[in-house]
Amino acid sequence: MSTENEGTEVPPAPSAPPVPVDAPAAPAPAPQGAGPDPAGQEPRPAEHHGAPAASAASSMGTAPGAAGPAHGGDWPPPPPAMPAYGSGGGGGWGASYQQPAPKPGGRRGGLVAGIIVAALVAGAVGGGVGYWAAERGDGSSTGSTTVSASNPADLKRDKGTVAGIAAKALPSTVTIEAEGNSGEGGTGTGFVYDKQGHILTNNHVVAEAADGGKLSATFSNGKKYDAEVIGKAQGYDVAVIKLKNAPDGLKPLTLGNSDQVAVGDSTIAIGAPFGLSNTVTTGIVSAKDRPVASSDGSGTSKASYMSALQTDASINPGNSGGPLLDGNGNVIGINSAIQSASSGGGMGGSGQSGSIGLGFAIPINQAKMVAQQLIKTGQPVYPVIGASVSLEEGTGGAKITEQGAGGSAAVTANGPADKAGLKPGDVITKLDDQPIDSGPTLIGQIWTHKPGDSVKLTYTRDGKEHTVDVTLGERKGDS
């Protein structure tokens, strides 16, 4: 399991050689009254750069409205000369083609350029084919009637539709750019938490900029504001930043109740996957209370724990910190982690990771509780039982270790676990009615509570099951 590593650059748009078109033979003069010849195969638009695109566009013949060939004539023109790709140059289309190396600094330019070139080629193809069809007509028509769609700006969307929800939520969602003192950083997402300019996001989105780095938030209308970190909780993977010179009229997103979410409910995720700001994806709640231990894949950061909402809405690097909405547009979670099929094992591995339909969000009820604490004091507060548990799998539950971190006692003297009679070697198998299968699961469940809450722990010792009530203690700050 891994959180999204926001430091990966956007890969250049894939480039592909154009597809050759077998030009139909020039039609012989048809007898009087004969019907038109069958139309030739339409060329497929290709995404590529520079000269090949210009050549393809120019091969589409005279633009509509200009003087063109008469019926039959020399139309269509011969296909464009086949360009040479890679070192081979000869052979079949793409036989020796090599994808061009990305240019330094071209994080998004290649993608945009590829799309624009493809659009130009597609436009030329459409114009050429349309002109050919008009010229080859039988001349019986004296004009044409077209029906235009109404202006998209005039179209209304019901509030309950995805488009209606997105239109309301996008202006309150921001793309966050974080840069550390070393110049390293990346892109994530956040959303407006209150009218004072607080933005809720993930800790791993802003961690690089927390100590003297640069932080900014850009709204969907393109307006960009400098920001500062108000507080961050590494264990919860939650952070609050605040806009400097926050504008008037900020509209906080409505927070829902994640405890009332049901499996199968609709979800809408908003974020900036791979730097593509203001991206909206949809899905459902796939599962609840999913134990997730996540990290940024750097090998130096500590893990975060959550009892997560699982969704199949497409979530990718850059979606981190963005809102997960329900079918009414209320925030039910903060997109935080994905399970990746990458051979690298995580978003920081050698492989390029992406969505496989297993995304995880921090329930908004927990995130709200953490955000309030961060705004109030600037530091997180964690509920604890005062015992060190193993993080290994296959222990049949959360096993209390023989020793704590750094050789300290596994059970804190006079702490909650000690007062409840728990000892090293005990295996906790249930918290209230929630089964516990590992240490991370126990931590994630405990952190859904507050210090001072009473929970019922079920544990085994020497093969016998016991149940005890434990009043949770507290730990302030990230250690």
Side-chain angles (χ1 to χ4, degrees), residues 354-381:
S355 173
I356 58 172
L358 294 174
F360 303 94
I362 303 167
I364 195 60
N365 288 11
Q366 179 181 12
K368 178 182 177 181
M369 181 173 61
V370 177
Q372 291 173 340
Q373 189 68 40
L374 293 177
I375 293 173
K376 182 179 179 180
T377 67
Q379 65 176 342
V381 175

Side-chain angles (χ1 to χ4, degrees), residues 184-441:
E184 296 182 355
T187 302
T189 308
F191 59 92
V192 177
Y193 178 73
D194 59 26
K195 294 182 179 180
Q196 287 68 47
H198 290 107
I199 304 293
L200 195 54
T201 185
N202 280 143
N203 170 72
H204 75 265
V205 170
V206 302
E208 288 282 353
D211 299 318
K214 296 180 181 179
L215 194 64
S216 67
T218 304
F219 284 82
S220 60
N221 61 6
K223 292 185 178 180
K224 186 174 183 178
Y225 298 86
D226 291 334
E228 60 183 343
V229 176
I230 297 298
K232 58 188 183 73
Q234 181 274 328
Y236 294 119
D237 199 16
V238 172
V240 176
I241 66 174
K242 188 175 183 180
L243 303 177
K244 298 179 180 179
N245 301 316
D248 296 328
L250 288 175
K251 295 182 179 180
L253 291 184
T254 304
L255 305 185
N257 186 343
S258 53
D259 290 341
Q260 296 180 355
V261 170
V263 173
D265 282 351
S266 298
T267 58
I268 301 171
I270 302 180
F274 296 106
L276 300 174
S277 301
N278 310 316
T279 295
V280 178
T281 57
T282 62
I284 63 170
V285 175
S286 303
K288 295 178 60 177
D289 299 318
R290 186 70 80 190
V292 174
S294 62
S295 68
D296 63 7
S298 64
T300 58
S301 66
K302 296 181 179 179
S304 301
Y305 301 92
M306 68 185 91
S307 182
L309 295 176
Q310 180 183 328
T311 181
D312 66 346
S314 183
I315 297 175
N316 286 290
N319 275 108
S320 280
L324 184 69
L325 310 174
D326 63 14
N328 295 317
N330 303 314
V331 181
I332 56 174
I334 301 177
N335 302 318
S336 181
I338 63 173
Q339 174 67 52
S340 174
S342 167
S343 59
M347 300 305 287
S350 58
Q352 183 64 54
S353 303
S355 173
I356 58 172
L358 294 174
F360 303 94
I362 303 167
I364 195 60
N365 288 11
Q366 179 181 12
K368 178 182 177 181
M369 181 173 61
V370 177
Q372 291 173 340
Q373 189 68 40
L374 293 177
I375 293 173
K376 182 179 179 180
T377 67
Q379 65 176 342
V381 175
Y382 299 92
V384 296
I385 63 171
S388 176
V389 298
S390 172
L391 301 181
E392 296 179 358
E393 301 289 339
T395 56
K399 183 178 181 180
I400 299 179
T401 57
E402 296 299 328
Q403 277 192 332
S408 61
V411 177
T412 304
N414 296 319
D418 186 32
K419 292 179 180 178
L422 292 169
K423 298 180 179 181
D426 291 347
V427 179
I428 300 172
T429 58
K430 189 180 292 187
L431 188 150
D432 293 332
D433 295 327
Q434 185 68 35
I436 302 298
D437 60 3
S438 67
T441 302

